[in-house]
Amino acid sequence: LLFLVQVHGQGGVKFQNWAKTYGSSPELYFQPTSVEEIREILDMARQRDKRVKVVGGGHSPSDIACTDDFMIQMGKMNRVLKVDKEKQQVTVEGGIFLSDLNVELSKHGLALANLGAVSEVAAAGVIGTGTHNTGIKHGILPTQVVALTLLTASGEILECSESTNADIFQAARLHLGCLGIVLTVTFQCVPQFHLHEVAFPSTLTEVLDHLEDHLKRSQYFRFLWFPHSENVSVIYQDPTNKPPSSSTSWLWDYAVGYYLLEFLLWISTFVPSLVCWINRFFFWLLFSSRVENIAVSYKIFNYECRFKQHVQDWAIPIEKTKEALLELKAALENNPKMVAHYPVEVRFARGDEIWLSPCFQRDSCYMNIIMYRPYGKNVPHLNYWLTYEGIMKKHGGRPHWAKAHSCTRKDFEKMYPAFPKFCSVREKLDPTGIFLNAYLEKVFY
């Protein structure tokens, strides 16, 4: 047992995700600094018949990272290993936060072509759950991955790319944390760029009737719909050579967009009918005039998620966008007791070949719905959730892996043509299920 001396697991650590909607109490919590240490943790888990869960930033609004056994937090394995200026590629350790990577890349005049809303997330985790942003010419974040290395349950290290272990590569680019431990990731980058963001008011009818035009007009187009109204905020983001500038004010965005909103939504937990009024009021207050910002790309891609929340986010075939949104709107109109916080965020992504990608072989529309938890208070959202899921399923939707959903293996077999392929790779790489947890059991059993 002497060789176990180097690796120390902490007991009594309570893990919670960012939104504090899910948590667990791992028996032991590790922060390894080397592959050798991780191998020892895996040996120890095997000897004690424990499972192992790897966590990065802990941002996922679901229980995908929870475990009562061993938890490995990869924050200390966060180096940039190589920057290839020629190919514009960067190789990093799996635990690096994108917030740090963005800064490192800009020192080399490089950037990631697309990023999600949040950068306090680890490289291996971002690809593990299929993080996405918007832009019909851009895929989800894992499409920017050109290679990765995987430490399997048996302690073997696999190099994966289009040309080496190609099957494992298409599985591991969206790995759900169940194939092994992602040690390194190689991203395809682009030259550093600035983005010009323009947000302007519109109506749901206008946006849905002219969706094609909007998608053509802006490289990173998305829109926010304010439920219980026709109000829409259209957001265009496009590369620019203009110098940085901003027309937003911190005071306004924070004092009003954060604190006042949280207070009013808390009051609405006693008088739910206020939500319709709050949505309209905030549209008028913060979104009814044209706003422009210019900054380095990652500062525009990243935005404030405000406060604790429940979210759902499904991808449907892009041609179903109008129909599905209008159905959601009608469902809210026909059921006055059901309230929906703003915004419903509508984003777009290019189809890809990653086996478990919600955009597998089809251009997609992501429709993100939200219910805030003002001051951590739970707001009834089950009816809204089930109504939304019903509409998404009906239109061939696939849920975002990081977010709460009620799907099981039966659903995934229908949704994903390559699901059996993924399962067979997983069973080969992890025959004893050391990397499983309650969330993943629902997916695979």
Side-chain angles (χ1 to χ4, degrees):
L1 275 177
L2 281 178
F3 69 92
L4 283 179
V5 174
Q6 294 115 310
V7 7
H8 290 292
Q10 257 179 295
V13 172
K14 175 105 174 83
F15 165 75
Q16 277 201 317
N17 69 337
W18 171 80
K20 296 194 171 27
T21 43
Y22 294 92
S24 64
S25 302
E27 187 178 314
L28 288 176
Y29 180 86
F30 299 90
Q31 287 191 301
T33 54
S34 68
V35 178
E36 289 65 41
E37 280 181 39
I38 299 177
R39 284 202 175 108
E40 281 182 25
I41 297 165
L42 291 178
D43 286 342
M44 191 157 119
R46 229 173 272 121
Q47 286 164 7
R48 299 195 193 175
D49 200 20
K50 297 289 178 193
R51 288 174 165 183
V52 173
K53 202 73 238 142
V54 181
V55 65
H59 218 280
S60 297
S62 71
D63 54 347
I64 191 165
C66 294
T67 184
D68 292 330
D69 286 5
F70 289 2
M71 183 174 275
I72 297 181
Q73 204 281 333
M74 294 290 278
K76 292 191 170 157
M77 296 180 71
N78 62 352
R79 291 171 307 163
V80 174
L81 299 173
K82 183 180 173 205
V83 178
D84 184 332
K85 286 252 169 113
E86 199 81 339
K87 291 185 177 162
Q88 299 186 337
Q89 292 175 353
V90 61
T91 303
V92 296
E93 289 185 305
I96 193 171
F97 272 20
L98 293 191
S99 47
D100 297 327
L101 177 57
N102 292 334
V103 174
E104 276 307 303
L105 284 177
S106 68
K107 290 180 190 165
H108 295 278
L110 295 172
L112 289 170
N114 211 347
L115 287 164
V118 179
S119 280
E120 278 60 55
V121 285
V126 164
I127 67 170
T129 54
T131 301
H132 69 96
N133 182 17
T134 193
I136 199 52
K137 289 194 168 66
H138 297 273
I140 62 173
L141 266 60
T143 58
Q144 301 176 70
V145 173
V146 288
L148 53 87
T149 56
L150 195 63
L151 177 68
T152 64
S154 65
E156 185 190 358
I157 293 180
L158 299 176
E159 306 277 339
C160 308
S161 66
E162 297 275 4
S163 52
T164 318
N165 291 318
D167 264 13
I168 295 175
F169 181 61
Q170 289 308 13
R173 276 161 82 181
L174 205 163
H175 53 75
L176 303 183
C178 68
L179 302 177
I181 296 174
V182 175
L183 298 174
T184 73
V185 182
T186 303
F187 288 103
Q188 181 59 54
C189 304
V190 295
Q192 188 178 7
F193 61 106
H194 281 68
L195 278 176
H196 181 190
E197 176 180 73
V198 184
F200 57 92
S202 185
T203 65
L204 191 59
T205 311
E206 187 282 323
V207 171
L208 292 177
D209 287 350
H210 301 108
L211 202 54
E212 285 296 310
D213 299 343
H214 285 292
L215 285 163
K216 281 197 195 94
R217 209 170 295 160
S218 171
Q219 200 180 133
Y220 304 95
F221 154 67
R222 71 173 194 272
F223 68 90
L224 313 176
W225 170 54
F226 290 67
H228 311 294
S229 77
E230 260 284 304
N231 296 331
V232 162
S233 174
V234 174
I235 298 161
Y236 285 173
Q237 295 171 340
D238 291 285
T240 181
N241 296 321
K242 293 182 193 155
S245 67
S246 169
S247 62
T248 50
S249 92
W250 180 88
L251 176 88
W252 199 235
D253 275 1
Y254 264 82
V256 175
Y258 190 112
Y259 297 109
L260 180 63
L261 179 65
E262 187 165 26
F263 176 66
L264 291 177
L265 287 178
W266 180 75
I267 289 179
S268 80
T269 60
F270 305 100
V271 193
S273 58
L274 283 179
V275 170
C276 311
W277 176 84
I278 291 170
N279 286 1
R280 291 184 178 140
F281 174 63
F282 273 87
F283 178 79
W284 170 79
L285 208 60
L286 295 178
F287 298 91
S288 59
S289 56
R290 185 185 170 95
V291 175
E292 298 192 41
N293 282 310
I294 298 174
V296 66
S297 58
Y298 63 86
K299 290 187 176 165
I300 296 282
F301 286 139
N302 289 166
Y303 51 90
E304 186 56 55
C305 287
R306 295 201 165 90
F307 43 92
K308 309 304 177 220
Q309 51 192 244
H310 290 289
V311 285
Q312 278 232 51
D313 191 16
W314 286 49
I316 52 175
I318 197 163
E319 58 277 8
K320 303 282 192 188
T321 306
K322 179 175 179 175
E323 209 178 327
L325 245 185
L326 291 178
E327 269 179 53
L328 187 62
K329 183 172 189 257
L332 288 168
E333 281 162 9
N334 298 333
N335 188 348
K337 283 218 165 67
M338 193 160 64
V339 297
H341 292 167
Y342 87 82
V344 170
E345 186 180 15
V346 184
R347 290 176 284 182
F348 304 90
R350 196 187 67 217
D352 60 51
E353 292 300 321
I354 299 169
W355 292 352
L356 290 191
S357 164
C359 303
F360 181 71
Q361 294 184 343
R362 66 186 198 201
D363 289 352
S364 302
C365 162
Y366 276 93
M367 216 168 278
N368 184 77
I369 64 166
I370 191 164
M371 286 299 271
Y372 289 109
R373 299 170 54 232
Y375 311 121
K377 181 174 178 179
N378 265 328
V379 176
H381 60 281
L382 208 63
N383 271 352
Y384 181 30
W385 253 221
L386 293 172
T387 303
Y388 165 87
E389 277 198 345
I391 294 169
M392 294 292 110
K393 269 189 183 158
K394 176 182 148 188
H395 293 294
R398 298 168 178 156
H400 187 325
W401 290 106
K403 301 189 177 170
H405 58 77
S406 62
C407 299
T408 58
R409 177 165 181 150
K410 272 203 189 75
D411 297 303
F412 295 127
E413 282 172 345
K414 279 198 209 82
M415 291 169 179
Y416 288 100
F419 194 76
K421 277 192 190 161
F422 186 94
C423 290
S424 72
V425 165
R426 187 195 74 75
E427 283 151 22
K428 242 193 237 105
L429 293 180
D430 184 18
T432 63
I434 195 170
F435 295 117
L436 291 178
N437 64 357
Y439 174 102
L440 291 167
E441 279 176 349
K442 283 187 242 142
V443 174
F444 295 113
Y445 293 104

